[in-house]
Amino acid sequence: MKSICKVLVCASTKNELSKINGLDFNNINVGEIHHFNNYIDILITGVGYFSVVYYLTKTLFLHEYCVVFAVGICGDYNQNNDIPQIYVVKKANFADTGFENENKCFQPLVGSKFLDKNMFPFKNGSLINNNADLFADYFGLKIVTANSVNRTNTDVNYLTELLNVFPADIETMESAAFHYVCIQQNVNFVEIRASSNHTIPKCNEKWRINEAVLLINNFVEKHIFTESLSDFKNILNLIK
């Protein structure tokens, strides 16, 4: 065990890891490291860009990890997709960070005169994780693009404009911040999300949060929190 670099597992809220056996949330506070076992640490980052950027950056300055996993739930833009299901995020966008021009049209910050769309760590305006492909292929999971937003919105015109600027599959409040920090810090990472609802204007469907959390927690517990050292090494080798 001592020869293996440790892994960090992040979630924005305690609830998103609440169904993992052996995890005592009485000892976990936002921003504090919880040592799950000899090779896995857990960090609850808090919700939203600012909290993820602060606590994840602070943690990566203080500790060394081979791989950082982000785990959480998400909204699905495609009404035809089953809920819940697990995705691996390859590309993330700061989807609502920008300006409204004189024509009241949204212009993203990335790609404006203030921030070139290919200035590191951006590639064509997005934050891309090439580790996602091998991980998704290995486990047979679907690759997706995530739009990260500061607020959720049910206005159909707003969502149409958002997706015209940043086409995506799912919506979160943390993906882009997580990608941004990990790429800047040059640390390997994978983001895994389970859909809990469709992101549909005025949709009255019941959110399936508990089912989404159970689905993704079962996956994480089986494949990342595994007690088998050989299985753990296989996971690390995919994304190192």
Side-chain angles (χ1 to χ4, degrees):
M1 295 285 186
K2 291 183 179 179
S3 63
I4 297 181
C5 184
K6 297 184 74 170
V7 164
L8 180 66
V9 176
C10 303
S12 59
T13 66
K14 297 179 181 181
N15 182 59
E16 286 166 298
L17 292 175
S18 62
K19 299 187 185 299
I20 290 178
N21 291 324
L23 199 52
D24 182 5
F25 280 96
N26 291 324
N27 299 320
I28 301 180
N29 297 311
V30 172
E32 296 178 353
I33 291 295
H34 174 81
H35 303 293
F36 181 77
N37 59 27
N38 289 333
Y39 51 93
I40 294 177
D41 286 348
I42 294 173
L43 173 68
I44 303 300
T45 62
V47 176
Y49 297 171
F50 50 87
S51 192
V52 172
V53 168
Y54 176 75
Y55 286 118
L56 182 54
T57 301
K58 179 182 177 182
T59 298
L60 294 180
F61 269 120
L62 295 175
H63 305 275
E64 183 178 352
Y65 297 100
C66 285
V67 181
V68 181
F69 288 96
V71 176
I73 60 175
C74 66
D76 197 318
Y77 285 126
N78 189 338
Q79 188 177 0
N80 295 320
N81 286 339
D82 293 333
I83 302 290
Q85 62 177 299
I86 301 177
Y87 300 116
V88 177
V89 179
K90 179 174 182 177
K91 183 164 68 173
N93 303 309
F94 285 110
D96 61 358
T97 302
F99 320 94
E100 187 176 272
N101 63 25
E102 62 274 12
N103 297 318
K104 295 187 177 182
C105 294
F106 175 71
Q107 179 184 357
L109 172 62
V110 182
S112 73
K113 64 180 180 181
F114 299 104
L115 182 58
D116 186 273
K117 66 181 181 179
N118 288 308
M119 181 177 179
F120 183 84
F122 295 96
K123 292 183 179 179
N124 197 29
S126 299
L127 298 153
I128 299 174
N129 179 16
N130 292 324
N131 286 325
D133 294 288
L134 288 175
F135 188 86
D137 288 346
Y138 185 82
F139 289 107
L141 300 176
K142 184 179 178 180
I143 288 283
V144 295
T145 296
N147 277 346
S148 290
V149 296
N150 285 294
R151 54 168 289 188
T152 59
N153 198 298
T154 60
D155 180 79
V156 64
N157 293 324
Y158 177 86
L159 287 175
T160 299
E161 182 179 358
L162 185 83
L163 291 172
N164 282 337
V165 178
F166 288 113
D169 306 290
I170 65 170
E171 183 175 279
T172 76
M173 296 185 74
E174 298 86 18
S175 296
F178 174 73
H179 283 232
Y180 184 85
V181 171
C182 288
I183 296 172
Q184 289 278 27
Q185 293 298 116
N186 193 30
V187 61
N188 293 306
F189 67 98
V190 173
E191 181 178 8
I192 313 164
R193 292 277 176 170
S195 53
S196 62
N197 61 285
H198 291 110
T199 306
I200 308 169
K202 298 181 180 178
C203 181
N204 294 320
E205 70 176 1
K206 183 179 179 181
W207 283 30
R208 300 171 65 179
I209 293 177
N210 287 335
E211 293 172 64
V213 170
L214 180 60
L215 180 65
I216 197 168
N217 282 196
N218 285 344
F219 178 88
V220 170
E221 187 170 9
K222 179 179 179 181
H223 298 295
I224 299 173
F225 285 43
T226 175
E227 294 180 359
S228 167
L229 186 56
S230 60
D231 289 345
F232 189 74
K233 286 182 177 179
N234 287 338
I235 297 296
L236 294 187
N237 288 333
L238 282 174
I239 46 185
K240 286 173 68 174

